[in-house]
Amino acid sequence: MSKHQGSLWLCISVLLCCLTLHAQGAALFAEADHSLGASLMVQNKCSACHISRVGGDGSAIYRPQGRIRTPAALTAMVERCSTELNLSLFPDEVNAIAAVLNRDHYKFK
Ligand code: HEC
C-alpha cells in the first residue's frame, strides 16, 4: 500500500468513527431516567448557582448554540458542575441529568 493510500484509509476510518459517535449521541440518552434527572437537579439546586450568574430561572446558562455541541460534551459539563457541588453521582445519574437538559434545552438528535 502506498503512503498516500494509507492516509486515505486513516481518513475513512476517522470518518466512520465520527459517524458512529454521532449516531450514539441520542442513544446515549435513550435509556435515561428523566424523572430521576429532574429530581436530582432540584435536590442539588443546580439552578441556584446558575441564577447567581445569569439571573432569571438560571436556564439562560444553557446555551444550545454555544460551546456545548455534542451529547458527550453535555454529559462532561454535568460532571464538571456536579463535581463543583461535591456530589458523587453515579454515571447513570449524570446521564439522567444530561438527558433532561437535552430534552428541555439542547435537543441533540
Ligand atoms: C458552583 C456553581 C455551580 C453549580 C452548583 C452548578 N453549576 Fe452548572 N455552571 C456553572 C457555571 C459558572 C457555568 C458556566 C461555565 C462556563 O461557561 O465556563 C455552568 C454551566 C453549566 C452547563 C453548561 C451550559 C452551557 O451550555 O454552556 C451545564 C449543562 C450545567 N452547568 C449543568 C449543571 C448541573 C446539572 C448542575 C447541578 C448538578 C450544575 N450545573 C450546578 C456553575 C455551577
Side-chain angles (χ1 to χ4, degrees):
M1 201 192 285
S2 78
K3 206 172 164 193
H4 190 74
Q5 273 178 323
S7 45
L8 184 65
W9 279 114
L10 179 67
C11 209
I12 290 173
S13 36
V14 168
L15 193 74
L16 285 177
C17 187
C18 290
L19 287 176
T20 336
L21 278 178
H22 193 78
Q24 272 175 351
L28 205 65
F29 300 138
E31 306 278 300
D33 182 343
H34 285 171
S35 57
L36 172 70
S39 58
L40 280 169
M41 286 188 66
V42 174
Q43 262 169 43
N44 296 303
K45 304 189 171 55
C46 300
S47 7
C49 181
H50 294 162
I51 288 169
S52 72
R53 314 267 168 160
V54 295
D57 65 355
S59 68
I61 206 146
Y62 306 129
R63 293 157 303 170
Q65 307 306 325
R67 224 170 14 146
I68 303 219
R69 285 159 191 234
T70 63
L74 177 56
T75 308
M77 191 68 212
V78 172
E79 281 269 17
R80 226 182 84 189
C81 276
S82 61
T83 308
E84 199 87 41
L85 286 167
N86 283 318
L87 306 177
S88 6
L89 296 178
F90 290 110
D92 61 334
E93 294 177 317
V94 171
N95 191 250
I97 295 176
V100 169
L101 290 174
N102 186 51
R103 183 195 59 195
D104 297 346
H105 300 283
Y106 295 90
K107 307 193 195 302
F108 297 123
K109 296 276 185 288

